[in-house]
Amino acid sequence: MSIRDNTLAVAESLINRAVANSPGVAEAVQALSGKVLQITLTGLDQVVYLAPMGSRVQVLAEAPDHPDVKLAGRVGEFLRLAAAQGDAKQAALKDAAITIEGDAMLAQQFAAMMDALDVSPEAHLEPLLGATGAAQVGEIGRALFGLGKAQASRVGSATFAQWNSESGAAVAEREVGAWADEVSQITAQIDGLEVRVKRFERKVSEIPDGS
Amino acid sequence: MSNDSTTHFGYQTVDAADKVKRVGQVFTSVAQQYDIMNDLMSMGVHRAWKHFAVNLAAVGPGDHVLDLASGTCDLAGRFAKQVGDTGHVIASDINADMLAVGRDRMIDRGIVSGIEYVLANAEELPFDTNQFDCVTMAFGLRNVTDKDAALAEINRVTKPGGRVLVLEFSKPTNDGFAKLYDQYSFSVLPLLGKFVANDADSYQYLAESIRMHPDQDTLKGMMENAGLLRCQYFNLTGGIVAVHRGYGAP
């Protein structure tokens, strides 16, 4: 088996693991069963075929049947398409930078199916990177490839929260700054309060006895 | 098969009915030492081959999986974890001793639910048509007397679009490597069998049966003839082993 075949087999395994673990996606794949999507990466001169069969997806170097739809573009354009969310994805799909030949609706169905995948590489990465590292790389990977609609928007806050919880005492500079500002304000208010208390005490002491 | 009544048992030509009995004796003889011998013979690489096959099978929660020639349940155990509470795995083997070792092994690992054990001949499967999302057979097909009948049965019980995976020894793709592999198979394997399992003959049969097994393209053609769709194979370790995959026809 060539390196390319190995790479495609690994990619297929990852996609199908995600299909198996993403609610509803297996049904979406089933609906596309028998269809063939050809992806041509023009910059790399590579052609890959996605061919749903039953409830799983084949990733092939050679077309099993005549492709129903062909997408062609540079890697960057496909990444941009993958990273696009919601309506922006459809707009990106219509962008002239990726040429579509054949059934455009089918291309959108493929894109929606890939979009719904909940890719979870954490289980594979955890032995190598530990739980924290695996979680962060998983989140970043999802955001980069746009797999899972909620993932990209979650990545910033999730990573920051992860760092905070793991780093314990280590606090971000901007948080320290805000806290220091609050301390200064409270100190100034206490100083003012002390002055007013002293003035009040002085006035009380100036009141004649028996008045 | 060679013709209607004879078949190969290693390099020997025997009556088809006799092969079942002889293969049964081989696996009854090696059942208790099967795992340790696999590790020794393959230098542990058989775990990577099985891992690759399991990943290609892409079994998920709720799937119904049949693992044929399940032996010591290496694959079935992994599938049992993947199918979850809603799925189901059947570990099947023609040899009661192997199946007993596999069942005990699963119990020792705490895998007791979602898995059943069925003593069955792959040529006549006691299951309904279109019953399984995935059917696997690891290192078993070469021991089957009528491989075409077994593949037809596998196709029958697989759901339309379901996956069929056959992990089996095959033909090295490089001639130089093939000669080294031959030396290893016919010199080292029987010796290992003699000293570890006290059974050189069974491991001589193993080496011979591998040579008599159809090569990658022939097996792919047999799977297509059985009705499976989109058949392809993946060579592992220079073709010593190949994973063939096909899909159940609608």
Side-chain angles (χ1 to χ4, degrees), chain A residues 7-65:
Chain A
T7 307
L8 293 182
V10 170
E12 183 190 291
S13 294
L14 286 174
I15 289 173
N16 282 326
R17 180 73 60 87
V19 168
N21 293 310
S22 304
V25 177
E27 288 76 12
V29 175
Q30 191 95 44
L32 293 169
S33 185
K35 304 292 183 186
V36 178
L37 170 76
Q38 175 183 309
I39 298 174
T40 304
L41 303 174
T42 50
L44 301 174
D45 200 24
Q46 294 284 325
V47 182
V48 175
Y49 299 89
L50 295 184
M53 192 67 180
S55 59
R56 297 293 184 269
V57 181
Q58 274 185 298
V59 181
L60 301 162
E62 293 174 11
D65 296 304

Side-chain angles (χ1 to χ4, degrees), chain B residues 161-172:
Chain B
R163 288 89 64 204
V164 171
L165 276 102
V166 177
L167 173 65
E168 189 54 273
F169 289 106
S170 205
K171 297 284 183 284

Side-chain angles (χ1 to χ4, degrees), chain B residues 103-117:
Chain B
R103 186 187 56 199
D104 289 347
R105 197 162 164 241
M106 292 300 100
I107 293 169
D108 288 345
R109 289 184 177 186
I111 300 170
V112 290
S113 63
I115 185 166
E116 277 185 285
Y117 305 89

Side-chain angles (χ1 to χ4, degrees), chain A residues 10-208:
Chain A
V10 170
E12 183 190 291
S13 294
L14 286 174
I15 289 173
N16 282 326
R17 180 73 60 87
V19 168
N21 293 310
S22 304
V25 177
E27 288 76 12
V29 175
Q30 191 95 44
L32 293 169
S33 185
K35 304 292 183 186
V36 178
L37 170 76
Q38 175 183 309
I39 298 174
T40 304
L41 303 174
T42 50
L44 301 174
D45 200 24
Q46 294 284 325
V47 182
V48 175
Y49 299 89
L50 295 184
M53 192 67 180
S55 59
R56 297 293 184 269
V57 181
Q58 274 185 298
V59 181
L60 301 162
E62 293 174 11
D65 296 304
H66 184 72
D68 297 281
V69 59
K70 298 177 181 178
L71 302 185
R74 294 186 174 277
V75 176
E77 295 299 332
F78 279 107
L79 286 177
R80 198 158 65 86
L81 171 66
Q85 303 292 303
D87 292 341
K89 186 176 285 295
Q90 296 203 358
L93 198 56
K94 289 173 185 167
D95 195 316
I98 293 177
T99 59
I100 304 173
E101 189 184 322
D103 189 342
M105 282 298 290
L106 194 61
Q108 290 195 1
Q109 279 180 277
F110 266 100
M113 184 264 290
M114 295 300 285
D115 198 35
L117 286 180
D118 183 10
V119 179
S120 302
E122 285 85 346
H124 303 282
L125 295 171
E126 194 170 324
L128 299 171
L129 304 175
T132 306
Q136 288 173 11
V137 172
E139 292 287 350
I140 291 167
R142 271 189 285 270
L144 278 178
F145 294 100
L147 298 170
K149 283 183 178 176
Q151 306 300 336
S153 59
R154 263 176 37 196
V155 65
S157 56
T159 304
F160 186 72
Q162 196 90 34
W163 275 336
N164 264 354
S165 65
E166 293 299 322
S167 59
V171 183
E173 188 183 354
R174 60 188 169 87
E175 281 194 317
V176 174
W179 176 76
D181 287 344
E182 282 183 10
V183 170
S184 298
Q185 280 180 10
I186 291 170
T187 305
Q189 287 169 355
I190 290 172
D191 287 344
L193 193 61
E194 279 182 350
V195 171
R196 293 173 72 180
V197 169
K198 282 181 182 174
R199 191 176 62 185
F200 179 72
E201 285 175 341
R202 192 175 67 241
K203 285 191 174 180
V204 168
S205 67
E206 288 170 1
I207 297 172

